[in-house]
Amino acid sequence: MSRLAHLNILQSCRRLLVAFSGGLDSTVLLHQLAGWRQQHDVELRAIHIHHGLSPHADEWVMHCQQLCGQWQIPLIVERVVVNGREAGIEAAARAARYTAFRQALLMDEVLVTAQHLDDQAETLLLALKRGSGPAGLAAMPATLSLGEHQLVRPLLTQSRAQLVEWAQAYQLSWIEDESNLDTRFDRNFLRQQVLPILSARWPHFSQAAARSAALCGEQEQLLDELLAASLSQQIQGNGSLLIPPLLNLSEAHRNALLRRWIAQQGGKMPSRDALARIWHEVILSRPDAVPCLQLGLHQLRRYRDALYWLPPFADISQQVLPWQAPWAALQLPDNLGIVHRADVGQQVRAPREDERVSIRFQARGHVHILGRNGGRSMKKIWQELGIPPWQRERTPLIYYNEQLIAAPGLFTTVQGRDDTDSGWHICWQHHE
């Protein structure tokens, strides 16, 4: 078998972007792909992330530039800011890297990373330390989706010893990151102090760990296939999950569905404790409650027999946005889109000369909207319109002076009635 047989996983890939730190693993991978490129007609680029965490970071950039120049591989250098206050330095650095990778990937380009067999064993042990289930114990798959792109790890069958052997045979030079020796980090502790002992006692420990991870991955894939149909029937068009079908399921079945739904929403795999809180504090809360469970940066909320997975929102309830002639499209805060005049949209009367137009996000008291007999409280109106509580202070409201005139796409008040042919049509183009 060819020494590069492990690269056959890239057989159908024609455009490759290699994550190149300059360390042993990524140096060997890039060197192997430089030879692979000539035989398989692929376009090859490399990307180096400058985290700014080491005093040697600029030297590492020059090292990577020199190697890529020598091998005639285009190199992108991306500088990122790492803020480890919330999730820790390791997690923050990884998040910053993958954000940079996603931004750099071209159409049809595959991201290639250099994790190897020993990394897989470390990942499995970290999952055991966290008390992970089969999904976590499956460790790192050889391929996975990265948004519209694909991530491939061709070295997962190769041990670090094999990579060292390759590097020495071809007299490669690489960077030694001093932070890799810092055993305060869990992965470094496993790499420096735990895995050497395990491998000394059981020389094939990493291979056995990789087999266990692969078996866990197969079990998760089987569950994915078995649950796919029922999960798709429970997910509504807005991504929310219907609650009633969950009520008669066993705890194991229910938790499996919840995990997969959260994963589809882009959330991290919840712990058993988190799943128990979702069940008791959100799903089983009293019917008139408005439950909200914070899971990391996201919120899980219930509304009208459905669960919603929500990203963090900025509080914009007190904002007042003046809208002035010539009435150009108005950008709304927190990625809510734009409000603009159009040929179609919510019909309202044009403002008088003495009326200032503004966009606000909060209305209180009784409001009389067109088509209804008498006024109602705003809370009642929102309920009748089916607007969830978290969207009520994120919906743009048109005001003339201090008078509520309309909510684009939802209603016009009697004070905004247009009895002429010279009124406005206001449209809200939103991203949510």
Side-chain angles (χ1 to χ4, degrees):
M1 183 178 289
S2 165
R3 294 182 70 194
L4 294 180
H6 54 277
L7 297 184
N8 286 336
I9 194 173
L10 298 168
Q11 196 76 251
S12 62
C13 305
R14 289 292 169 264
R15 306 180 80 181
L16 307 178
L17 177 67
V18 181
F20 183 40
S21 69
L24 168 70
D25 312 339
S26 61
T27 298
V28 169
L29 175 62
L30 194 62
H31 181 256
Q32 292 179 349
L33 287 173
W36 174 269
R37 169 183 58 181
Q38 299 171 0
Q39 303 169 12
H40 295 82
D41 187 30
V42 297
E43 295 179 29
L44 181 62
R45 299 193 304 153
I47 180 169
H48 176 83
I49 307 300
H50 185 300
H51 298 91
L53 299 175
S54 169
H56 305 293
D58 291 336
E59 299 171 26
W60 297 346
V61 169
M62 290 188 288
H63 172 87
C64 292
Q65 289 172 330
Q66 181 180 2
L67 276 185
C68 286
Q70 179 181 334
W71 296 338
Q72 297 182 327
I73 298 171
L75 175 69
I76 308 165
V77 177
E78 289 290 344
R79 295 174 182 267
V80 299
V81 176
V82 178
N83 183 351
R85 283 186 297 235
E86 291 186 0
I89 290 293
E90 286 181 293
R94 184 182 188 280
R97 278 198 302 278
Y98 276 85
T99 296
F101 293 156
R102 289 185 183 93
Q103 293 172 346
L105 282 162
L106 302 176
M107 185 178 296
D108 298 327
E109 198 168 39
V110 173
L111 179 66
V112 189
T113 59
Q115 291 92 354
H116 51 74
L117 188 64
D118 299 86
D119 291 329
Q120 186 76 302
E122 293 165 12
T123 302
L124 180 67
L125 290 173
L126 288 170
L128 283 172
K129 186 265 295 184
R130 291 192 300 267
S132 300
L137 295 175
M140 296 180 289
T143 64
L144 78 160
S145 295
L146 192 70
E148 298 177 353
H149 298 272
Q150 189 179 35
L151 186 153
V152 181
R153 300 180 174 109
L155 298 185
L156 283 183
T157 60
Q158 306 294 296
S159 68
R160 189 177 194 279
Q162 288 175 293
L163 302 187
V164 170
E165 179 185 351
W166 181 283
Q168 291 175 342
Y170 289 93
Q171 298 182 328
L172 303 181
S173 60
W174 63 87
I175 292 163
E176 292 289 358
D177 185 344
E178 70 278 1
S179 70
N180 289 336
L181 301 176
D182 188 347
T183 55
R184 292 176 300 173
F185 299 119
D186 290 343
R187 189 174 286 275
N188 291 345
F189 171 72
L190 290 173
R191 183 177 301 155
Q192 302 294 333
Q193 299 188 18
V194 176
L195 273 175
I197 296 174
L198 294 175
S199 298
R201 177 64 182 259
W202 301 295
H204 299 293
F205 177 83
S206 292
Q207 289 90 334
R211 285 197 300 273
S212 292
L215 289 170
C216 288
E218 289 180 10
Q219 294 298 310
E220 281 298 291
Q221 182 179 348
L222 177 60
L223 276 177
D224 286 342
E225 294 172 3
L226 293 175
L227 296 174
S230 60
L231 183 60
S232 64
Q233 292 172 2
Q234 289 178 233
I235 297 178
Q236 302 188 96
N238 58 11
S240 63
L241 182 71
L242 288 171
I243 289 174
L246 298 174
L247 300 178
N248 296 321
L249 300 179
S250 68
E251 181 181 2
H253 192 167
R254 181 178 69 239
N255 287 347
L257 284 172
L258 285 170
R259 286 191 182 101
R260 280 155 181 79
W261 172 68
I262 290 173
Q264 286 189 18
Q265 303 305 305
K268 292 183 178 179
M269 192 62 62
S271 66
R272 291 189 69 184
D273 287 344
L275 289 169
R277 293 187 66 193
I278 292 171
W279 178 245
H280 293 289
E281 298 178 25
V282 182
I283 294 176
L284 295 185
S285 62
R286 67 181 192 275
D288 61 341
V290 186
C292 176
L293 179 62
Q294 191 78 31
L295 293 177
L297 296 177
H298 292 77
Q299 291 181 349
L300 195 102
R301 304 187 70 158
R302 189 194 72 196
Y303 182 69
R304 293 190 174 179
D305 283 335
L307 288 175
Y308 290 80
W309 181 263
L310 303 173
F313 293 140
D315 181 3
I316 60 172
S317 60
Q318 304 302 315
Q319 291 198 31
V320 177
L321 308 178
W323 197 15
Q324 301 170 332
W327 320 112
L330 187 64
Q331 188 73 42
L332 301 178
D334 206 31
N335 200 35
L336 283 175
I338 61 172
V339 167
H340 63 97
R341 292 180 59 189
D343 295 330
V344 295
Q346 200 69 38
Q347 186 172 351
V348 300
R349 66 176 176 84
R352 298 189 299 267
E353 289 187 6
D354 63 340
E355 290 179 319
R356 300 181 310 278
V357 182
S358 63
I359 307 292
R360 307 184 188 188
F361 300 91
Q362 192 175 70
R364 302 193 185 280
H366 277 63
V367 175
H368 190 177
I369 65 178
L370 290 177
R372 307 289 177 89
N373 293 322
R376 290 170 172 79
S377 70
M378 274 306 303
K379 180 178 180 180
K380 186 69 173 176
I381 290 172
W382 289 133
Q383 289 173 343
E384 291 176 355
L385 293 171
I387 306 299
W390 58 90
Q391 290 183 1
R392 294 172 189 175
E393 293 185 345
R394 296 177 60 78
T395 299
L397 303 171
I398 311 298
Y399 275 77
Y400 294 173
N401 291 337
E402 299 303 312
Q403 178 63 58
L404 175 61
I405 296 298
L410 295 173
F411 64 78
T412 299
T413 68
V414 294
Q415 293 84 0
R417 184 202 312 267
D418 178 32
D419 295 323
T420 72
D421 293 328
S422 58
W424 286 5
H425 290 87
I426 302 178
C427 183
W428 174 25
Q429 289 183 259
H430 50 100
H431 305 314
E432 293 189 330

